[in-house]
């Protein structure tokens, strides 16, 4: 389907009837990183199912709610639960949430995800600030007729993970008990985890971590001119790094374990942006 601006505007107009302020920062929370959402003061919660033209989360560890409110005195909107291509959504559909945030007036986007470590120096529980990404799989979410209202047909992605925000994130990491890195995220479509051979190939290509989300949202944000920060919580060593099978349980448990410290760190970022 070819979307029009009005299509996205219908979602934003509905949300404006529920919320009487303009959020400055839009946050997308990855698997089990929900505790940040619980720190939002005076929350206004809107179920995705109630928003016209929005998508529905089908993954158990994703809540499926937009939460508006304040964090450290800043107005935020937080997507507690995101959408992935492995749920059956097309890349084209995956532009919807970020475009709605843009129409709501958000000025900065922070994307978070759970990821597997390809870099052998990383450990579960570490955090990676995305410097760049590799996406060899799948289309661009910006494929199809271009909506000039959002951005140009051809757009630069050489600074898509905003350098100033990356610097801020690394500076603030010094105050966090967590271990931080800056690195390259490689997108795999899932839902299967990668094969050990795919992980060896990813390492050869320069990837530090792998995951099944984030790049569609990142490309959509950059296309419409939104400054962007993306953070991976390392939940496991990627396939074949250790001599053991991967499981969703391991990913969820690792994310849950650091979600408190990660949420504290996120608050310092929102306060400083
Ligand atoms: N691969 C892909 N996605 C992931 C992983 C992984 O190892 N861990 C958490 N999300």
């Amino acid at each position: 389907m070819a979307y029009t601006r009005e299509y996205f505007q219908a979602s934003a107009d509905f949300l404006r009837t529920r919320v009487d302020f303009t959020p400055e920062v839009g946050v997308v929370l990855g698997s089990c990183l929900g505790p940040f959402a619980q720190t939002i003061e005076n929350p206004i919660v809107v179920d995705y199912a109630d928003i016209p033209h929005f998508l529905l989360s089908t993954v158990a560890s994703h809540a499926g709610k937009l939460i508006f409110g304040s964090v450290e005195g800043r107005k935020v909107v937080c997507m507690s639960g995101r959408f992935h291509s492995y749920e059956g959504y097309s890349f084209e559909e995956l532009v919807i949430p970020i475009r709605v945030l843009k129409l709501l007036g958000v000025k900065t986007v922070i994307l978070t995800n759970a990821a597997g470590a390809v870099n052998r120096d990383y450990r579960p529980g570490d955090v990676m600030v995305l410097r760049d990404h590799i996406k060899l799989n799948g289309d661009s979410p910006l494929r199809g007729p271009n909506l000039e209202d959002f951005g140009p047909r051809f757009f630069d992605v050489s600074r898509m993970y905003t350098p100033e925000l990356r610097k801020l994130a690394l500076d603030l990491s010094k105050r966090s008990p967590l271990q931080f890195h800056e690195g390259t995220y490689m997108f795999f479509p899932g839902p299967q985890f990668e094969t050990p051979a795919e992980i060896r190939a990813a390492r050869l290509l320069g990837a530090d971590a792998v995951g099944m989300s984030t790049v569609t949202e990142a490309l959509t944000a950059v296309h419409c001119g939104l400054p962007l920060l993306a953070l991976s919580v390392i939940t496991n060593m990627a396939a074949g790094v250790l001599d053991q099978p991967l499981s969703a349980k391991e990913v969820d448990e690792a994310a849950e374990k650091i979600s408190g410290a990660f949420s504290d760190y996120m608050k310092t970022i929102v306060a400083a942006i």
Side-chain angles (χ1 to χ4, degrees), residues 44-206:
I44 300 172
V45 181
V46 185
D47 280 343
Y48 293 165
D50 293 338
I51 308 171
H53 300 174
F54 217 66
L55 305 174
L56 292 177
S57 281
T58 67
V59 186
S61 55
H62 288 256
K65 294 176 193 309
L66 266 188
I67 306 167
F68 294 81
S70 302
V71 171
E72 303 285 320
R74 309 295 300 277
K75 298 287 185 221
V76 302
V77 54
C78 178
M79 279 183 65
S80 186
R82 63 141 57 83
F83 312 107
H84 311 80
S85 72
Y86 65 71
E87 293 173 78
Y89 293 119
S90 67
F91 273 57
E92 201 181 359
E93 285 174 295
L94 293 174
V95 303
I96 292 173
I98 299 295
R99 286 197 166 165
V100 172
L101 297 191
K102 171 79 178 178
L103 292 174
L104 285 172
V106 159
K107 295 283 177 288
T108 306
V109 168
I110 305 176
L111 306 175
T112 66
N113 62 54
V118 174
N119 187 321
R120 291 194 178 89
D121 294 335
Y122 292 10
R123 292 287 167 268
D126 292 356
V127 178
M128 183 181 85
V129 177
L130 272 71
R131 182 192 297 127
D132 206 344
H133 78 232
I134 302 172
K135 181 182 81 62
L136 304 178
N137 282 298
D139 292 325
S140 168
L142 284 313
R143 178 174 177 267
N146 185 52
L147 290 183
E148 293 287 328
D149 281 1
F150 287 101
R153 167 81 296 181
F154 301 106
F155 58 105
D156 180 55
V157 291
S158 63
R159 288 164 53 91
M160 63 183 289
Y161 298 97
T162 309
E164 294 75 15
L165 292 174
R166 282 161 39 206
K167 179 172 183 315
L168 178 72
L170 289 170
D171 287 349
L172 291 172
S173 74
K174 298 185 184 108
R175 294 197 218 153
S176 165
L178 302 171
Q179 184 70 41
F180 281 75
H181 312 274
E182 193 179 26
T184 299
Y185 176 93
M186 184 158 179
F187 171 79
F188 280 86
Q192 73 284 357
F193 290 112
E194 301 70 33
T195 64
E198 285 167 341
I199 294 303
R200 287 196 299 277
R203 189 177 298 116
L204 276 177
L205 291 174

Side-chain angles (χ1 to χ4, degrees), residues 114-117 188 192-194 210-212 233 235-239 246 251:
F188 280 86
Q192 73 284 357
F193 290 112
E194 301 70 33
V210 288
M212 305 175 194
V233 168
T235 51
N236 56 285
M237 299 311 288
L246 298 189
V251 169

